[in-house]
Amino acid sequence: MTAATNPATSGVKSVPGAPLLELEDVKMHFRTKGDGLLARGTKWVQAVDGVSLTVQPGETVGLVGESGCGKSTTARLITRLLEPTAGKIKYQGVDIAHMSERQLRPYRREIQLIFQDPYSSLNPRHTVGTIVGTALRTHGMVAKGGELKRVQELLEVVGLNPEHYNRYPHEFSGGQRQRIGIARALAARPKIIVADEPVSALDVSIQAQVMNLLENLRKELGIAFVFIAHDLGVVRHFCDRVAVMYLGRMVEEGPRNDLYEQPQHPYTQALLSAVPDIAVVRGVPPKTRIRLVGDVPSPVDPPSGCRFRTRCWKAQDICATQDPALEVKPTGTTTVACHFAEPPVESIVAEVV
Amino acid sequence: MSTDPNIPQGGNMTDQTVRSPQTVARTPRTRAEGEEAYLEVTDLHVQFPTADGKVNAVQGLSYALPLRRTLAIVGESGSGKSVSSMAILGLHDRKSTWISGSIKVGGKEVVGMSEKDLMDYRGADAAMIFQDPQSSLHPFFTIGDQIMESYRAHHNVSKRVAKARAIDMLGRVGIPNPARRVDQYPHEFSGGMRQRAMIAMALVNDPKLLIADEPTTALDVTVQAQILDLIADLQRDFGSAVVFITHDLGVVAEIADDILVMYGGNAVEHGPVDKILGTPLMPYTWGLLESIPAVSGTPGPLHPIPGSPPSLLAMPSGCAFHPRCEFKDRVAGDLCRTLKPELIPRTADQGRSSRCHLKEPDRVFETEVLPRLP
């Protein structure tokens, strides 16, 4: 990409030495009406309940967990599509958690979002040129008359034919539409992109194309990513660090290899053991699958203490009374929120079988 | 029917001293070889006439599946995997679909079967589980009503008997407290529970053929693991044949005996799972394997297949995969562009076949593709 107009950095403050993005004990509680005819007792859905996360410039952090764990809500909080009910969201050291829409404007340019569904995230009545061009104009990224040139540049960067700027979204395949969404995010020259399940709606071969594209962009443009996905293979492939969420809380966080090879939280272990692994046909011995009992409890009335204790085989009395802190344990290299954290012990597992 | 001990029962983790997880060993599947085919698909063609022209969704598909075996059909959108499987249940609209060939299920010919015979056949001989349990259950009726309706369509029994059967089935698929759950509505069930209820409904009449169309795609991995275990357990108990449609090769590796890879309405590779995924012989299957990031081992770069799947309205000449194939230039005489390869059984390798002009594909795979798998 050529350096066209210098992005308007005015308005974005920063504290020297601060990480690019820092969430501090962020909470998002949604209000729901109570049950019954009289709608008594307002309830609060604790979608995100105390998430802390740090992203350095150029770093990719994966956020994994099952549906309802709060990973998409976290994405919407980082991009400030939602205002958190508590906690701090610091961008370059400046808290943007409760900024007004006007104050937020310059920050919105630097924090972009890629959506899951390439079919519903593009306006069907706008051409690709308009879609990407709107992002350029909104953020004042190009001088008058330079818009089309820049749109075509961006289309080329994401691997689309630049001549197709006047086509409509329905003329593109799913993978190509996702590329348009990526071009739109890139138009603002962001420092960080929050990608919420960017490849899960795509076919396997197309998924790999889009992942390679994102990886090239990351390497060439140095953009940091918060990468949200439920596919643990995809996250492992793309991310430097991975955070595991369960029922609104972060249960484990650490460098990719440590988390995948030496997970310490029982939930991480169960999650990883549940992923079907194609390596079994190549002679890799099949993993023993940890069977979780029951369903994820309701975020309206989560269990006391550790939220995973109702499904955990290690649960003791302390788990119901004391909320485990997310901390580094002497047993491993990841930070983990569990009273009985330890790396997986194969011998115990083998005995059960 | 007694409760299967393999089905997880809620709330049995009371022993606080147990510090080990409840685990399931994944043993290699024992294969029932040499049995007579229960499902036999021969030269199946499915066409949809549209305003833009004729869509050849399935172009001459043939395979056979004996009881107690699981066949996984994999392929991308538009490969014909779902369309061919819907034809097995006679679910296509007669007026807008043109079907030829033969589908025999337990000796009955399904192609051309009358609507009345289809009503008797569906559910009793063959049943289907769909991807999205949310939209395949009726929101206005209780789970019990829907299972009972399915049972009473094939059995002349009282409501009381049918309800007892529904409760029994819900228990068998691992729904805790089935006697209470039977009177609940779909919205009161979680996603995994709904899929269990769907399976209970599909199996209530003891069908010998179960078709599962992406049954776990909408589910979380831990729930997916439960459902996969459940289907395998039930298959063992009921002795049924299972056609499992999926795009997830990891799932295939774990649950299937055989695999059928489809591309652009054709079968391109067919055979036992360990052989097809261990040493695939068709560049499309290679491309799929190179596109999947692994959860174990050293992460390597992905080598995606260039381009996108062909439009069924404008199929490429010759081999449907040739525009995306990096090996087409190795075949002499421009064959890939001009001549559609046949699905040929491998003489050296019993029970598998592939559709490709490439010479010595096993050597090409070993030397060029295997080293770069992610």
Side-chain angles (χ1 to χ4, degrees):
Chain A
M1 261 192 331
T2 58
T5 49
N6 194 35
T9 42
S10 61
V12 177
K13 298 189 189 94
S14 66
V15 175
L20 182 64
L21 179 78
E22 199 176 5
L23 304 190
E24 275 179 27
D25 201 24
V26 171
K27 295 183 180 177
M28 185 73 227
H29 295 186
F30 295 102
R31 208 177 77 133
T32 59
K33 277 191 193 141
D35 284 335
L37 205 60
L38 298 173
R40 265 182 307 181
T42 304
K43 288 180 178 170
W44 295 89
V45 178
Q46 304 178 17
V48 170
D49 194 51
V51 162
S52 300
L53 185 74
T54 309
V55 184
Q56 300 294 345
E59 194 180 34
T60 51
V61 178
L63 218 51
V64 298
E66 300 183 280
S67 35
C69 73
K71 53 190 195 302
S72 284
T73 306
T74 306
R76 296 164 63 106
L77 286 166
I78 295 171
T79 47
R80 267 304 315 277
L81 296 177
L82 289 171
E83 188 176 346
T85 41
K88 285 181 178 162
I89 302 171
K90 288 183 182 168
Y91 181 76
Q92 296 181 346
V94 181
D95 188 6
I96 60 167
H98 304 289
M99 274 189 180
S100 69
E101 212 38 62
R102 195 187 168 82
Q103 287 172 304
L104 264 177
R105 231 340 153 59
Y107 294 91
R108 289 222 187 279
R109 188 186 69 72
E110 303 210 345
I111 310 172
Q112 287 287 318
L113 183 61
I114 301 174
F115 298 91
Q116 170 173 2
D117 185 3
Y119 292 84
S120 61
S121 54
L122 302 175
N123 188 333
R125 289 163 191 276
H126 286 178
T127 63
V128 172
T130 316
I131 290 169
V132 179
T134 305
L136 289 171
R137 272 197 311 278
T138 308
H139 297 293
M141 301 302 294
V142 280
K144 239 183 181 164
E147 192 181 306
L148 179 62
K149 187 168 161 282
R150 179 77 184 127
V151 165
Q152 292 187 327
E153 259 174 36
L154 283 164
L155 291 181
E156 203 158 2
V157 166
V158 297
L160 291 172
N161 186 342
E163 299 306 312
H164 290 175
Y165 67 90
N166 54 357
R167 294 198 177 181
Y168 289 89
H170 75 261
E171 295 175 76
F172 294 90
S173 68
Q176 290 172 321
R177 284 183 221 199
Q178 197 55 290
R179 290 172 191 268
I180 299 170
I182 294 168
R184 175 173 60 185
L186 290 179
R189 292 180 186 268
K191 286 196 179 140
I192 181 165
I193 291 180
V194 180
D196 190 359
E197 303 267 9
V199 295
S200 44
L202 307 174
D203 273 324
V204 180
S205 67
I206 309 298
Q207 178 175 318
Q209 292 173 2
V210 173
M211 279 177 58
N212 279 0
L213 167 66
L214 289 174
E215 204 160 333
N216 288 341
L217 294 175
R218 173 169 72 112
K219 279 183 192 144
E220 283 166 23
L221 308 176
I223 301 170
F225 274 88
V226 174
F227 191 91
I228 296 171
H230 67 274
D231 185 327
L232 291 155
V234 167
V235 169
R236 178 171 183 264
H237 184 83
F238 192 71
C239 298
D240 305 321
R241 285 193 303 125
V242 179
V244 183
M245 289 183 74
Y246 182 80
L247 207 56
R249 293 263 170 89
M250 207 165 271
V251 295
E252 188 162 7
E253 194 264 342
R256 184 249 326 258
N257 288 347
D258 298 344
L259 191 112
Y260 275 77
E261 278 149 35
Q262 293 287 304
Q264 296 189 77
H265 198 285
Y267 178 64
T268 315
Q269 293 168 5
L271 198 63
L272 285 169
S273 84
V275 182
D277 192 354
I278 193 170
V280 291
V281 295
R282 287 182 222 142
V284 176
K287 296 168 290 186
T288 307
R289 181 189 294 163
I290 300 171
R291 207 173 226 181
L292 284 185
V293 178
D295 281 320
V296 182
S298 160
V300 175
D301 187 21
S304 64
C306 171
R307 294 189 165 190
F308 183 59
R309 69 177 168 84
T310 54
R311 303 172 78 196
C312 183
W313 63 93
K314 288 183 177 176
Q316 308 264 340
D317 295 340
I318 185 179
C319 301
T321 51
Q322 266 187 45
D323 204 347
L326 190 67
E327 58 193 10
V328 181
K329 302 271 181 180
T331 47
T333 44
T334 58
T335 53
V336 55
C338 177
H339 295 298
F340 303 106
E342 58 183 348
V345 188
E346 284 302 324
S347 58
I348 291 180
V349 173
E351 270 170 33
V352 176
V353 178
Chain B
M1 231 182 291
S2 65
T3 318
D4 190 325
N6 288 309
I7 294 171
Q9 305 291 322
N12 54 355
M13 305 295 284
T14 44
D15 189 356
Q16 293 282 317
T17 57
V18 175
R19 290 282 305 274
S20 306
Q22 190 188 18
T23 56
V24 188
R26 303 194 210 189
T27 45
R29 298 173 61 91
T30 47
R31 309 200 189 282
E33 295 285 355
E35 279 198 49
E36 204 184 319
Y38 183 75
L39 166 67
E40 220 174 339
V41 177
T42 317
D43 197 28
L44 178 71
H45 289 256
V46 181
Q47 295 182 331
F48 304 107
T50 66
D52 301 324
K54 207 162 51 181
V55 172
N56 293 306
V58 180
Q59 301 157 17
L61 181 67
S62 301
Y63 64 87
L65 180 65
L67 292 177
R68 280 180 284 281
R69 264 178 103 85
T70 301
L71 170 75
I73 303 185
V74 299
E76 298 180 274
S77 1
S79 62
K81 57 189 196 300
S82 289
V83 169
S84 61
S85 307
M86 279 168 74
I88 297 174
L89 280 183
L91 290 175
H92 291 297
D93 178 21
R94 271 152 208 277
K95 288 183 195 119
S96 59
T97 319
W98 190 80
I99 300 179
S100 76
S102 155
I103 300 170
K104 282 209 168 94
V105 178
K108 291 179 194 169
E109 176 60 60
V110 181
V111 175
M113 195 184 259
S114 73
E115 200 55 51
K116 187 174 165 296
D117 289 346
L118 273 176
M119 295 284 275
D120 288 338
Y121 155 80
R122 284 189 205 122
D125 297 291
M128 193 152 179
I129 313 169
F130 296 93
Q131 173 175 354
D132 183 6
Q134 175 91 58
S135 58
S136 21
L137 289 167
H138 198 297
F140 290 0
F141 293 93
T142 65
I143 295 287
D145 283 339
Q146 298 183 53
I147 299 176
M148 283 158 65
E149 184 194 355
S150 177
Y151 190 59
R152 294 183 79 208
H154 296 280
H155 296 82
N156 190 13
V157 294
S158 69
K159 278 196 171 170
R160 183 190 296 269
V161 173
K163 186 160 184 179
R165 171 78 178 166
I167 293 171
D168 181 41
M169 284 309 296
L170 288 178
R172 292 212 51 156
V173 297
I175 289 181
N177 203 350
R180 185 173 60 84
R181 287 291 192 164
V182 76
D183 291 321
Q184 290 188 335
Y185 290 89
H187 75 265
E188 293 172 271
F189 278 49
S190 68
M193 292 282 218
R194 273 187 220 126
Q195 196 56 287
R196 284 171 191 270
M198 276 289 297
I199 294 172
M201 198 190 305
L203 294 180
V204 72
N205 293 307
D206 271 328
K208 286 283 171 246
L209 173 63
L210 181 66
I211 296 168
D213 190 353
E214 305 253 11
T216 59
T217 307
L219 305 175
D220 286 319
V221 276
T222 58
V223 184
Q224 164 171 290
Q226 293 170 0
I227 298 290
L228 294 180
D229 284 346
L230 174 66
I231 292 176
D233 288 347
L234 293 171
Q235 179 183 24
R236 203 181 43 233
D237 296 353
F238 288 77
S240 30
V242 175
V243 176
F244 200 102
I245 302 166
T246 181
H247 63 269
D248 187 333
L249 290 177
V251 170
V252 174
E254 292 215 346
I255 60 129
D257 303 305
D258 299 314
I259 179 171
L260 181 79
V261 183
M262 290 191 74
Y263 187 80
N266 288 295
V268 293
E269 196 153 16
H270 182 204
V273 160
D274 44 351
K275 287 188 177 162
I276 301 288
L277 294 185
T279 45
L281 301 177
M282 157 82 198
Y284 175 62
T285 321
W286 298 344
L288 286 183
L289 288 175
E290 289 179 85
S291 301
I292 302 169
V295 276
S296 58
T298 356
L302 304 179
H303 299 275
I305 308 170
S308 32
S311 157
L312 293 170
L313 280 165
M315 288 298 286
S317 62
C319 171
F321 185 62
H322 90 256
R324 304 175 75 190
C325 183
E326 62 172 299
F327 297 95
K328 58 174 176 283
D329 297 327
R330 308 270 185 95
V331 177
D334 217 14
L335 264 187
C336 297
R337 284 183 198 84
T338 51
L339 180 72
K340 182 173 167 179
E342 294 295 319
L343 187 70
I344 302 167
R346 298 274 144 184
T347 39
D349 227 340
Q350 286 299 308
R352 66 180 294 180
S353 45
S354 59
R355 186 190 291 276
C356 185
H357 288 306
L358 189 63
K359 296 270 183 294
E360 295 186 325
D362 30 3
R363 195 186 50 78
V364 177
F365 177 75
E366 297 285 345
T367 55
E368 295 178 46
V369 183
L370 193 59
R372 65 181 193 195
L373 284 186

